[in-house]
Amino acid sequence: MRASSTVEDYLKCIFLAEHEARMEGAQLVPMGRIAARLKVAPASVTAMMKTLAESGLISYEPYSGVRLLPAGRKLATHVLRRHRLIELFLVNVMGFDWSEVHSEAELLEHSVSGRMIERMDEMLGHPSVDPHGDPIPSADGHIELVDHPSLLKCSLNRVVEVVRVTDQNAEFLRFAEREGLMPGSLVEVAARDETAGSVAVVSDAREFSLGFPAASKVLVREAAS
């Protein structure tokens, strides 16, 4: 039997937060991070974590945090696969703007059938990333998580290719598009000012400034020579 939409939302949230936690050197996802991401009360998170633990989907350590167990990880990657394929289908086939598909996919990911998702995957040519550059899990749940540097950390004065924009907020995505920071774009970081908290970026021979928070949301790799 398919899990409820609430359970799917929690598992997907934990999966995404786990990657962030590992990058920070932590093994468990703090409860507060889950509450903040899902915009729910801490007491509600605690109650759900106990339920998920009893179902064998997560390991729950009171006052410390949680991590996914294999069954929970499998469900989480299947939800993420549905979400990201739907986003790409909405953009590539239905003509939606990349800034508006996240909220649509949040609704549709709980209702589409597995058969429809596999048909979308086939029509799209079995893509590896969604419109924002986020990796799409395979049908068997494998996902390739690559720790690309952001504009805040990449080398200076080298041409880099934008590969991923991690903020799904529509306003930020529209801003990224205006500034030429969509996946596939070639840019260069000319300088960083620690005092001002800004990054000087060159895109299409035009230089502009990004704040550190915005720069950290744009992931890049060195451009092919």
Side-chain angles (χ1 to χ4, degrees):
M1 185 172 69
R2 186 155 161 176
S4 71
S5 60
T6 302
V7 167
E8 290 185 341
D9 284 340
Y10 270 93
L11 293 175
K12 183 177 69 171
C13 174
I14 295 170
F15 179 88
L16 296 172
E18 269 190 344
H19 183 60
E20 295 173 0
R22 282 195 296 271
M23 291 180 68
E24 297 166 2
Q27 298 301 313
L28 298 174
V29 177
M31 306 288 279
R33 179 170 291 185
I34 300 171
R37 289 183 74 127
L38 293 177
K39 297 181 174 61
V40 296
S44 298
V45 174
T46 300
M48 178 56 78
M49 293 307 101
K50 292 178 179 178
T51 298
L52 295 178
E54 290 169 359
S55 300
L57 298 173
I58 68 165
S59 173
Y60 168 49
E61 297 183 20
Y63 311 109
S64 296
V66 302
R67 63 180 176 83
L68 292 171
L69 293 177
R73 184 174 302 279
K74 182 178 180 180
L75 280 173
T77 54
H78 284 175
V79 179
L80 205 59
R81 173 175 169 79
R82 294 200 300 267
H83 180 97
R84 291 176 175 174
L85 279 171
I86 289 168
E87 285 191 332
L88 191 61
F89 188 85
L90 290 174
V91 171
N92 286 13
V93 178
M94 301 189 69
F96 278 69
D97 187 81
W98 78 320
S99 67
E100 59 185 346
V101 294
H102 179 69
S103 58
E104 296 291 340
E106 286 284 290
L107 298 172
L108 293 169
E109 69 186 31
H110 301 301
S111 57
V112 295
S113 68
R115 182 182 178 188
M116 182 175 290
I117 286 297
E118 296 317 309
R119 179 61 177 147
M120 286 182 181
D121 185 40
E122 183 181 345
M123 288 180 66
L124 292 167
H126 308 293
S128 60
V129 296
D130 74 4
H132 314 106
D134 295 322
I136 298 173
S138 64
D140 63 4
H142 174 73
I143 183 170
E144 187 153 353
L145 297 173
V146 181
D147 292 331
H148 292 293
S150 69
L151 291 177
L152 194 56
K153 301 290 185 181
C154 69
S155 301
L156 294 176
N157 301 308
R158 296 191 65 128
V159 177
V160 293
E161 178 186 358
V162 176
V163 294
R164 187 176 182 185
V165 178
T166 62
D167 192 331
Q168 304 294 302
N169 178 271
E171 186 176 347
F172 185 82
L173 291 173
R174 287 192 289 268
F175 163 79
E177 185 169 4
R178 286 197 306 272
E179 299 295 353
L181 297 174
M182 297 179 72
S185 302
L186 299 180
V187 300
E188 184 176 328
V189 175
R192 296 189 184 94
D193 188 328
E194 296 287 342
T195 303
S198 63
V199 176
V201 179
V202 179
S203 174
D204 292 329
R206 178 179 64 87
E207 184 171 313
F208 59 93
S209 180
L210 278 181
F212 277 8
S216 70
K217 298 171 182 177
V218 181
L219 307 188
V220 298
R221 65 183 171 202
E222 287 204 15
S225 56

